[in-house]
Amino acid sequence: MLLKEREEMISKLTGVQSSKKSYYNELKIMVEELKKKNMQLEVINEVNRSFNIDMSIDEMLKNIFEKLKVFFPLERISLSLYEHDKLTLTNVYPPNSLYFPIGFVFPKKDSLYWQAIESSQKIFYQMNNDLHYFIEKKAYQSLGIQSALVIPLVSKEAAIGLLSIGSKKINHFDESDLAFFQQLSDQIAVCIENVRLYHKVLTAKKEWEETFRAVSDMMFITDLEGNILKSNDSAKEYFKTDLIGQNIHKLLEIDKKETTQEKYLSVKENIIDEFHLKNHVFEFRSFPIFNRSHEVYSYIIYIIDITEKRKMEAQLIQSGKLAAIGEMAAGIAHELNSPLTAILGNSQLLLRSFKQDDRSYKLLSDIYLCGKRCKSIIQNLLTFSRQDEYVFEECSINEAVEQVLGIFSDQFKQQNIIIQQELAEHIDHVKGNIQQIGQIILNLLINAKDALEEKNIPKKIIKIETKEIIEDNKKWITLSITDNGIGIQNQHLQEIFNPFFTTKSPGKGTGLGLSVSLGIAETHGGTIVVNSKYGEGSEFILKLPVRHE
């Protein structure tokens, strides 16, 4: 009974009636087949794993070769990649089986590899059956290769490379072997294509990050609430702090201007606006980033410092105004100089006809002095408006004060404003342009006058003082203009020098005066300092070096 069961088991295992010896032979063959199938699965897995762990192709080929040669008499495995209509040898294992150097480009003519690429069919090549000349034949003869299996690597119905497996024996591959090698080549093609795509994405990511980091303007990426997710080097350098996690609105102090978040982060459109921060004018640009569902998931914030641009625009506007004043002054001077010459000449002639104690003599003297003053005012106006002559030379800051007051002092008197002067005698000269310095003085005086108009007090005073000081081992000439007007609120002190910033009512100020004045002062190597207390008054100090470096 037991013998009968064994015979039935043998029959089931072999499919034929067999002896005990045949049973064990068939069992051994089956085990070998299972091992071979297991090896094939390991090889396929090796290819898949090689991409996941970022293994090099050389290492992948080595591992594949070591596993394959257990069951196949292999001597060599090589990989060539097809790109831009070129077939290039990229990898060979073992390394001592090289004939053509790595990077060798196969010519299309008489090439076994090109034949496989163009036909998209695998080729089983045997040296003893070959009657054609192929360039690869030289390599096979030199390496002792008798047979080779050449398989194109195809991805998305397009050849991307070629796998070549060489042996010193004439291999006999059955259908299952060829099916396995085809599956192996398909997996390698997928792996290579994935590696290419991965490196493209990695390269694009690196290029984007390098561009983002290197942009000279400040850039941020924020979430929907304005919290910073990423910032470039320019932003880190400007704020000198860790910016990740901070809110963009609070960082830029946008909330101080009572603006809403929606104004600066819009899901509908790009936003372009301006804001002031730390005595600078910035342009704010917000760009929404959409996902595949066309939903906004973050924003790119681009901040451009346009302070110098605004200063230049302000200078151009101011220069245009002064050019118009100069043209008008020249016309007035031409029209008035002729009658003034007659008034001055005739009054001088008439003065000779009267004695000094005569009442008419005093009247004529007043006419003569007023005529001289008119001529001086016209001359000062022409001098002051000649802004195109930016010649730097030794000049006196006291003289600049006198030129400005010579034109405008009467206007201050008419508004009951007292001008107090404390100009230091024998003060050193500065190297600069007296007309431009006069422009600074005029702008500061006009601001002081406007501040006094906003305050209802019986005694309105503007004090002008010049002196020499030593600071940082350097001699400076200072001009201070102090008023007892309305003063400046603390929150505006950091913004008053920004172009187009003004607290004056519409029509009374453009916000250019202090910006232009500071620009002129810096051109002369100096600066303007402000001290103010709201409700009590302000002091503006122009500092210029005795010698402009």
Side-chain angles (χ1 to χ4, degrees), residues 234-453:
S234 297
K236 294 173 186 174
E237 178 65 25
Y238 183 80
F239 289 101
K240 300 188 184 302
T241 185
D242 186 14
L243 301 172
I244 306 302
Q246 293 196 47
N247 188 274
I248 191 72
H249 301 91
K250 291 182 179 178
L251 181 70
L252 304 179
E253 301 179 13
I254 292 174
D255 54 336
K256 289 174 65 174
K257 302 185 72 174
E258 300 179 355
T259 54
T260 62
Q261 176 177 316
E262 287 75 15
K263 180 178 179 182
Y264 287 93
L265 297 178
S266 171
V267 297
K268 297 180 180 179
E269 58 186 352
N270 300 338
I271 300 297
I272 300 178
D273 205 350
E274 290 184 10
F275 67 96
H276 298 87
L277 180 68
K278 298 180 181 179
N279 290 332
H280 284 257
V281 184
F282 292 96
E283 188 173 85
F284 181 102
R285 298 188 178 187
S286 170
F287 305 92
I289 305 175
F290 298 89
N291 59 20
R292 290 184 177 180
S293 301
H294 300 287
E295 296 173 343
V296 176
Y297 67 92
S298 61
Y299 297 93
I300 295 176
I301 308 297
Y302 192 65
I303 308 294
I304 309 171
D305 189 340
I306 57 172
T307 307
E308 292 304 318
K309 177 184 175 184
R310 286 289 178 264
K311 285 182 178 179
M312 190 176 297
E313 290 174 355
Q315 289 277 20
L316 289 171
I317 291 172
Q318 201 76 350
S319 296
K321 290 180 178 179
L322 292 170
I325 292 173
E327 190 174 337
M328 181 182 67
I332 291 173
H334 178 73
E335 293 296 327
L336 294 183
N337 272 336
S338 295
L340 278 176
T341 302
I343 291 170
L344 291 173
N346 290 330
S347 59
Q348 281 183 309
L349 290 174
L350 290 171
L351 281 172
R352 294 175 185 176
S353 304
F354 295 92
K355 295 181 179 179
Q356 292 186 2
D357 57 354
D358 195 302
R359 184 172 178 273
S360 297
Y361 185 88
K362 188 175 184 314
L363 294 173
L364 289 169
S365 295
D366 288 343
I367 293 172
Y368 177 74
L369 291 174
C370 287
K372 280 187 65 178
R373 186 167 178 274
C374 289
K375 190 170 185 178
S376 176
I377 289 172
I378 291 171
Q379 187 60 46
N380 286 339
L381 187 61
L382 284 170
T383 303
F384 177 76
S385 63
R386 202 174 297 125
Q387 294 293 317
D388 56 331
E389 298 179 6
Y390 293 151
V391 178
F392 277 47
E393 56 189 4
E394 298 290 329
C395 60
S396 168
I397 199 167
N398 287 350
E399 185 181 342
V401 172
E402 290 168 358
Q403 281 188 7
V404 174
L405 290 179
I407 302 172
F408 299 100
S409 61
D410 278 357
Q411 295 183 25
F412 291 94
K413 288 178 183 178
Q414 289 173 8
Q415 295 178 344
N416 298 318
I417 296 175
I418 300 170
I419 302 291
Q420 296 179 351
Q421 298 184 57
E422 292 185 12
L423 307 182
E425 296 183 2
H426 310 297
I427 196 170
D428 276 332
H429 286 191
V430 297
K431 191 170 184 180
N433 182 273
I434 194 168
Q435 285 78 35
Q436 287 191 307
I437 295 173
Q439 186 179 336
I440 297 175
I441 297 168
L442 177 60
N443 284 334
L444 296 180
L445 284 173
I446 290 173
N447 285 344
K449 176 181 71 68
D450 292 341
L452 288 167
E453 288 178 353

Side-chain angles (χ1 to χ4, degrees), residues 162-210:
L162 187 117
L163 183 69
S164 173
I165 300 169
S167 175
K168 290 184 178 180
K169 297 181 179 180
I170 301 298
N171 277 323
H172 296 284
F173 299 118
D174 57 25
E175 289 298 324
S176 63
D177 293 335
L178 293 175
F180 160 70
F181 282 115
Q182 184 62 58
Q183 186 181 6
L184 173 62
S185 66
D186 290 341
Q187 289 296 325
I188 292 175
V190 170
C191 174
I192 291 172
E193 190 67 16
N194 286 341
V195 168
R196 283 180 175 177
L197 292 172
Y198 174 77
H199 283 294
K200 282 182 180 179
V201 172
L202 197 65
T203 302
K205 180 176 179 289
K206 186 176 180 181
E207 289 175 351
W208 183 90
E209 287 180 345
E210 289 296 320

Side-chain angles (χ1 to χ4, degrees), residues 446-462:
I446 290 173
N447 285 344
K449 176 181 71 68
D450 292 341
L452 288 167
E453 288 178 353
E454 293 184 31
K455 190 174 181 182
N456 187 17
I457 51 175
K459 195 173 184 180
K460 300 179 179 181
I461 300 172
I462 296 177

